[in-house]
Amino acid sequence: MLRERVISAVVGVPIIVLFLLLGKYFFTFLILVIVAVGLDELYSIFVLRDLKPNIVVGMLGAIALVIAALVGAKSGLVAVLSAIVIAVLIWQIFTQGSIINTGLTLAGILYVAFTLSHMVLQYNLSFGRIGVLMVFIGTWLSDIAAYFVGSAIGKRKIAPSISANKTLEGLVAGLITPAVVLAILFTLPWLPFAAEQGIFIAILKGFGMGLIIGIFAPFGDLVESRIKREMRVKDSGAIIPGHGGVLDRFDSVLFTSVAGYYFWLLVK
């Protein structure tokens, strides 16, 4: 698992930096691809258990949400989300579909597309590209530190019925590591905090953002683990041979993208 996390970070960071530098349309395209593949993996897991989410409506709704975040910002995202909820419920009426499948369709859109759309929202804020990069760096640092420390000295299980390898020691490491590293990174001159507000404020804001990411990252991991356990699958997909699916690699980011966006709104 550690190897997969490290490889994901080593391979993923340059790709994400490249799309961040290419501009908001390229970055939005990257998020669209991640959302489409991740949502397809989630719906495929449901289908394996004879559940029937409306995949077409779900995909169209997910794409609409990401585009709404690009062109309409927060208000656009809320408006499109409201329209999607109404459209899916109407679909259920006319097809006499199961309310469970209607709920699964909406849950997939919320879980994958609504959360990751916050990356697009954050990109369009002041210094948003750097903020998005901080979210990714903080999340991967949290994952890697939690696994490394948990494997080395972890003894106290925190959720054995969901994830047997999660330990309290790893959780603490995953909390502290991004906080410390982001506190240091926030003092760099290409961020506005140190120059405009002083080193102390910069460190405080970086530490706070890292801490928020460290809190939400394990919840993202555990939620996906719970879904897979309940659906009785090992990986969300096989798009990355030997490493699972897109959801396996971005499960923590689904949660930290939302937390990182609102924290960036607070500190920018």
Side-chain angles (χ1 to χ4, degrees):
M1 181 64 77
L2 173 63
R3 187 168 65 95
E4 286 84 347
R5 296 288 184 186
V6 172
I7 291 174
S8 296
V10 170
V11 175
V13 168
I15 293 174
I16 288 166
V17 170
L18 173 63
F19 277 85
L20 283 171
L21 292 175
L22 287 173
K24 65 180 181 181
Y25 296 109
F26 285 92
F27 180 68
T28 302
F29 174 75
L30 176 65
I31 295 298
L32 268 175
V33 171
I34 295 170
V35 165
V37 176
L39 188 58
D40 179 66
E41 289 178 355
L42 183 66
Y43 284 159
S44 296
I45 291 173
F46 293 153
V47 171
L48 280 176
R49 299 299 160 222
D50 295 327
L51 299 167
K52 297 177 181 177
N54 190 320
I55 297 174
V56 174
V57 171
M59 283 292 179
L60 291 175
I63 292 169
L65 268 184
V66 177
I67 293 174
L70 174 67
V71 300
K74 279 192 295 184
S75 57
L77 193 65
V78 172
V80 170
L81 181 60
S82 303
I84 290 170
V85 171
I86 293 171
V88 173
L89 290 173
I90 290 175
W91 157 72
Q92 193 222 347
I93 292 172
F94 284 99
T95 60
Q96 296 182 339
S98 160
I99 189 65
I100 294 175
N101 293 324
T102 301
L104 291 175
T105 304
L106 289 173
I109 295 171
L110 289 170
Y111 177 54
V112 181
F114 180 72
T115 53
L116 285 180
S117 293
H118 286 76
M119 286 285 187
V120 179
L121 291 180
Q122 185 167 0
Y123 187 101
N124 290 320
L125 298 177
S126 299
F127 294 93
R129 283 191 288 190
I130 295 172
V132 170
L133 184 60
M134 292 292 163
V135 171
F136 277 112
I137 291 174
T139 306
W140 278 323
L141 281 173
S142 177
D143 285 347
I144 292 169
Y147 184 83
F148 184 80
V149 174
S151 299
I153 61 172
K155 295 179 180 177
R156 302 170 181 85
K157 306 287 186 183
I158 59 171
S161 63
I162 301 174
S163 179
N165 296 322
K166 290 287 182 191
T167 66
L168 180 61
E169 293 81 1
L171 188 72
V172 173
L175 192 67
I176 293 174
T177 303
V180 172
V181 174
L182 261 59
I184 296 170
L185 292 178
F186 265 51
T187 63
L188 295 175
W190 35 271
L191 277 174
F193 306 116
E196 296 179 2
Q197 300 164 319
I199 293 292
F200 178 73
I201 297 297
I203 292 174
L204 203 60
K205 290 183 173 180
F207 188 85
M209 185 169 185
L211 202 61
I212 291 292
I213 290 172
I215 290 171
F216 280 87
F219 283 113
D221 188 8
L222 286 171
V223 166
E224 202 228 355
S225 296
R226 176 61 186 268
I227 293 171
K228 290 192 295 184
R229 179 153 296 215
E230 194 168 332
M231 294 292 111
R232 303 190 299 281
V233 297
K234 181 177 181 295
D235 297 319
S236 65
I239 194 169
I240 309 170
H243 298 261
V246 164
L247 280 184
D248 294 317
R249 300 279 68 84
F250 286 90
D251 51 5
S252 300
V253 177
L254 295 179
F255 277 43
T256 58
S257 61
V258 179
Y261 166 72
Y262 287 107
F263 192 84
W264 198 255
L265 270 181
L266 181 68
V267 304
K268 71 180 177 63

